Amino acid sequence: MDLDAFRELLTPRGQKALGEAVAAVAEGADPVMAASRLRKTYDASLTAAALTQARLRARGSVKFGEDAARMYFTPDGLEQATRTEVAAHRARRFSPGMRVADACCGIGGDLIALARTGCEVDAVDLDPLTVEVARANVVALELGDRVTVRIADAAEVDPGAYDVLFADPARRSTGKRVFDPMAYSPPWPAVLGMVARARAACLKVAPGIPYELIPPGAEAEWVSHRGEVKEAVIWTGALAPDVGSGEGIRRRATLLPSGRTLTPDVSLGAPDHGPVARYLYEPDGAAIRAHLVAEVAALVGGRLLDPHIAYITGDGPGRTPWASRYEVLETLPFSLKRLRAALRERHIGTVTLKKRGSALDLERLRRDLRLSGDKSCVVTLTRIGERPFAFICQPS
């Protein structure tokens, strides 16, 4: 989709084409037949733009709910855009009336949440099509009185002229996800340079950001939505309250949609470790990323299986939203032959495979097990010390 085709999509004729495309996608029409039908009325460029946008809106409903039916997207923009619930959680730390510089606005998912909180947002992006899409979203959601969107390099933004700098550096290149912060756009050193000139900042980054790249004095918050870690957020200045970790950076894990948070308990030392007991606990990924496994172990009255791996075991059925609990049915030193025999003896035909601290290829293992029973279970693969183990479990 090019810029001219997108602009045509915003005209009355384009809106009519888009409506027909949305209806075709909703009906599950064959893509070729849908394109042929629209081509009878519209040219190839507008037809392609309308059908692309209709498909993106259908996908966008997962992240944006009912808003997606009025919004506009690009493929990469939709992939990187923040889910509505996550953006709204983040925006709640902002105060109404704050002037916010959104230095890498993308299609506008975050600026929408900020504007709805009552912030005044000055948003920039370097890509002309992305800026046009963000502007269209601002208009479609009737937020134009609080938001401006313009084409500019993030480096041209003066963070000191605003109450808060918000930045979500692009983490995709030629359609592929980028994990190295030095390959972000703008790269991480440039982002930190902007943070140094800002009164306060909120940075949305990948969950795997190395701790050594987080600026001292910041709060790093890992956010999990329905069991899946979505992002890390780095807060600085007035947006980074002291959560009492006593470290160079402060750590927090958050669960959505509940909004529960977990922070370090300075009274806890390193968690104990010992042999597997009746229950096995898998901490939520946000707690693992935030190095809060000891806190989760304390919540369930458990201990680690191995001091370096985030699996917890305990005798009692501890209950916490911060961990999934499994009842251990059988413990095996790992051997494909022994595991296959044990599962067949239990008539297991469907298995959920989990691993941590194991180099095994799970899909290959699934094929090699050659199961055919009518029951199901969870198999957790890990190591204790240098020895590999398999645990046959049931969700509890």
Side-chain angles (χ1 to χ4, degrees):
M1 181 171 57
D2 60 30
L3 183 57
D4 289 338
F6 180 75
R7 285 174 173 165
E8 187 178 6
L9 202 61
L10 302 179
T11 66
R13 179 177 172 80
Q15 290 294 289
K16 185 178 179 182
L18 179 57
E20 294 177 23
V22 167
V25 169
E27 293 168 1
D30 176 81
V32 175
M33 293 182 63
S36 298
R37 189 190 312 166
L38 265 67
R39 282 290 302 274
K40 294 177 180 178
T41 307
Y42 310 102
D43 60 44
S45 178
L46 182 55
T47 294
L51 286 170
T52 296
Q53 203 56 235
R55 296 185 190 107
L56 290 173
R57 281 186 173 183
R59 287 168 47 196
S61 63
V62 175
K63 284 188 173 183
F64 291 94
E66 294 180 358
D67 282 344
R70 293 185 287 163
M71 291 177 67
Y72 300 89
F73 304 98
T74 65
D76 281 355
L78 178 56
E79 287 294 327
Q80 189 171 337
T82 306
R83 183 182 291 268
T84 294
E85 299 97 321
V86 179
H89 160 75
R90 200 187 317 109
R92 280 192 284 271
R93 198 178 289 202
F94 291 70
S95 300
M98 277 184 166
R99 296 188 65 245
V100 181
D102 186 343
C104 318
C105 72
I107 63 168
D110 291 295
L111 68 83
I112 290 167
L114 291 169
R116 285 175 169 169
T117 300
C119 296
E120 298 178 13
V121 187
D122 183 11
V124 305
D125 200 281
L126 198 55
D127 179 61
L129 174 59
T130 299
V131 167
E132 200 75 21
V133 171
R135 283 176 179 160
N137 286 332
V138 168
V139 172
L141 299 177
E142 301 178 353
L143 298 170
D145 59 333
R146 297 177 186 170
V147 179
T148 60
V149 188
R150 56 193 172 89
I151 300 172
D153 192 319
E156 298 176 19
V157 174
D158 176 13
Y162 301 86
D163 297 312
V164 182
L165 167 70
F166 177 84
D168 176 11
R171 296 188 296 281
R172 284 188 174 271
S173 177
T174 62
K176 296 182 179 180
R177 194 181 299 275
V178 172
F179 295 98
D180 181 4
M182 300 303 172
Y184 287 0
S185 179
W188 194 241
V191 174
L192 293 184
M194 297 176 70
V195 170
R197 306 194 307 274
R199 304 175 195 175
C202 172
L203 311 177
K204 172 189 167 185
V205 295
I209 186 168
Y211 267 58
E212 61 269 21
L213 296 184
I214 300 172
E219 177 189 315
E221 177 188 18
W222 282 265
V223 180
S224 176
H225 181 267
R226 301 191 185 279
E228 183 179 352
V229 184
K230 292 297 183 182
E231 65 183 35
V233 188
I234 297 174
W235 303 94
T236 72
L239 294 179
D242 185 359
V243 296
S245 70
E247 299 178 324
I249 64 170
R250 295 178 287 279
R251 295 170 284 130
R252 179 186 300 272
T254 298
L255 296 180
L256 296 179
S258 70
R260 289 185 175 92
T261 64
L262 188 65
T263 57
D265 182 343
V266 295
S267 69
L268 295 176
D272 293 333
H273 63 278
V276 66
R278 180 176 178 182
Y279 296 100
L280 187 67
Y281 298 88
E282 182 180 22
D284 185 88
I288 295 173
R289 294 284 189 180
H291 294 184
L292 296 172
V293 175
E295 284 72 10
V296 178
L299 288 172
V300 299
R303 59 185 180 269
L304 296 182
L305 279 174
D306 179 279
H308 305 294
I309 297 176
Y311 278 133
I312 299 166
T313 189
D315 297 305
R319 184 181 181 89
T320 175
W322 292 101
S324 300
R325 185 181 70 205
Y326 303 92
E327 184 174 5
V328 179
L329 306 178
E330 190 170 350
T331 299
L332 301 168
F334 179 77
S335 152
L336 175 61
K337 183 177 180 181
R338 291 181 64 180
L339 179 59
R340 182 193 294 134
L343 294 173
R344 288 180 174 177
E345 185 177 345
R346 294 175 179 274
H347 306 287
I348 302 296
T350 303
V351 64
T352 299
L353 296 174
K354 294 178 172 289
K355 73 171 185 175
R356 185 162 288 135
S358 170
L360 287 170
D361 182 324
L362 297 187
E363 290 310 310
R364 179 175 178 179
L365 175 61
R366 189 186 305 278
R367 293 193 299 270
D368 290 344
L369 288 172
R370 301 195 299 274
L371 301 175
S372 60
D374 58 357
K375 297 182 180 179
S376 63
C377 74
V378 175
V379 172
T380 299
L381 304 158
T382 189
R383 60 174 173 79
I384 301 176
E386 298 301 320
R387 297 184 64 194
F389 282 84
F391 304 103
I392 300 175
C393 309
Q394 287 287 358
S396 172

